[in-house]
Amino acid sequence: MFRRALLAAAATLLSATQAHAGGPANFMMTVHIEGQQLEGQPLWWNQRDMLLMSRDGAFHEFPNKAAKNGRKINRPFYSYTSSEMQSRLRDEFGRSFQVSTTQHFVVVHPKRQEKWADRMESLYRTFVHSMRVRGIKIVNPQVSMVAIVFRSRSDYYRYSKSQGVALPPGVLGHYDHTSNRVLLYDDGQSSTLETIIHEATHQTAHNVGVHLRSTAQPKW
């Protein structure tokens, strides 16, 4: 279930581009809502609502009528670069964290714990190999995948609550398919690695075409 964000696309823009229920669009757009600018690709829309993927891979679902200054960008979707994502995450989480990058991931983690980025990349390679040998078609991720590793359980729960996610007791980590982020904390136990594997599998599956992020997660 997607959190409904106060973001919008102009109905007049959709009419001008001859948009119809469906998607994804082969163009990008910018739109303002309550003073905030959003830039990304419309994935799905109808006469009332739109689902748009911003350049960091996050989903934004909104009513068309709230749009301000919608403008079409005549080019296909392009994401932030890895270095741009790194800079944005530093601004978001501050310099008390370190941000590490790999080929497919940008990972925010406590300082001197670079192992997290390598772990995520290793799990990605294992998952992709496992799918390919079974004949499942894989596509390259459209965006750098983000993982956030918190220092403590309380930090993890506090941040999740600030994002509108109410976690039940005992959760070590989760994949949020709206933000396209894996969030977790390290309790120093073997259960942490199991959590990483589980949640990184969700994230990778939704970014390489095994699952569709805009649909409900299948029950395997």
Side-chain angles (χ1 to χ4, degrees):
M1 179 177 65
F2 301 121
R3 297 193 304 271
R4 295 196 60 87
L6 293 179
L7 301 161
T12 53
L13 173 64
L14 297 182
S15 176
T17 57
Q18 296 182 339
H20 56 278
N26 60 359
F27 59 85
M28 291 178 59
M29 64 178 293
T30 63
V31 67
H32 285 77
I33 179 71
E34 296 186 345
Q36 179 184 9
Q37 181 177 357
L38 185 69
E39 181 178 59
Q41 177 189 27
L43 298 181
W44 179 92
W45 61 92
N46 58 26
Q47 294 299 317
R48 295 177 302 173
D49 303 297
M50 174 180 282
L51 177 66
L52 183 143
M53 181 170 66
S54 54
R55 291 180 61 199
D56 60 358
F59 279 179
H60 305 272
E61 187 183 3
F62 49 80
N64 298 332
K65 64 182 181 180
K68 304 294 182 182
N69 303 319
R71 179 174 62 86
K72 179 181 176 182
I73 302 173
N74 287 310
R75 65 168 297 173
F77 177 82
Y78 69 104
S79 67
Y80 291 119
T81 66
S82 179
S83 60
E84 287 174 328
M85 288 289 288
Q86 198 171 10
S87 177
R88 291 172 66 87
L89 288 166
R90 282 200 184 99
D91 290 342
E92 181 179 352
F93 288 94
R95 296 191 177 278
S96 62
F97 283 90
Q98 185 174 340
V99 183
S100 298
T101 63
T102 65
Q103 182 179 355
H104 298 101
F105 287 89
V106 181
V107 183
V108 179
H109 56 81
K111 291 184 176 180
R112 295 180 293 280
Q113 292 190 21
E114 295 85 353
K115 62 183 180 181
W116 288 103
D118 292 335
R119 281 177 172 175
M120 300 299 291
E121 188 67 32
S122 176
L123 289 167
Y124 172 89
R125 291 195 299 266
T126 299
F127 178 86
V128 168
H129 174 74
S130 178
M131 294 296 103
R132 283 176 171 160
V133 298
R134 288 165 173 79
I136 298 175
K137 183 179 179 181
I138 296 297
V139 300
N140 291 325
Q142 290 182 284
V143 299
S144 293
M145 291 177 284
V146 173
I148 313 296
V149 183
F150 293 94
R151 296 184 182 88
S152 66
R153 177 185 180 277
S154 59
D155 287 347
Y156 165 61
Y157 271 73
R158 187 180 305 112
Y159 178 84
S160 298
K161 184 178 180 180
S162 74
Q163 301 302 300
V165 179
L167 298 173
V171 176
L172 293 175
H174 70 281
Y175 168 61
D176 185 305
H177 66 271
T178 301
S179 67
N180 199 33
R181 294 177 174 184
V182 163
L183 303 102
L184 57 97
Y185 72 98
D186 187 358
D187 67 350
Q189 305 296 321
S190 59
S191 54
T192 299
L193 182 57
E194 295 173 2
T195 298
I196 298 168
I197 294 172
H198 183 86
E199 302 307 330
T201 297
H202 283 310
Q203 185 182 41
T204 300
H206 282 87
N207 280 269
V208 299
V210 175
H211 294 170
L212 296 177
R213 285 181 59 206
S214 56
T215 62
Q217 181 176 303
K219 295 180 179 181
W220 285 3

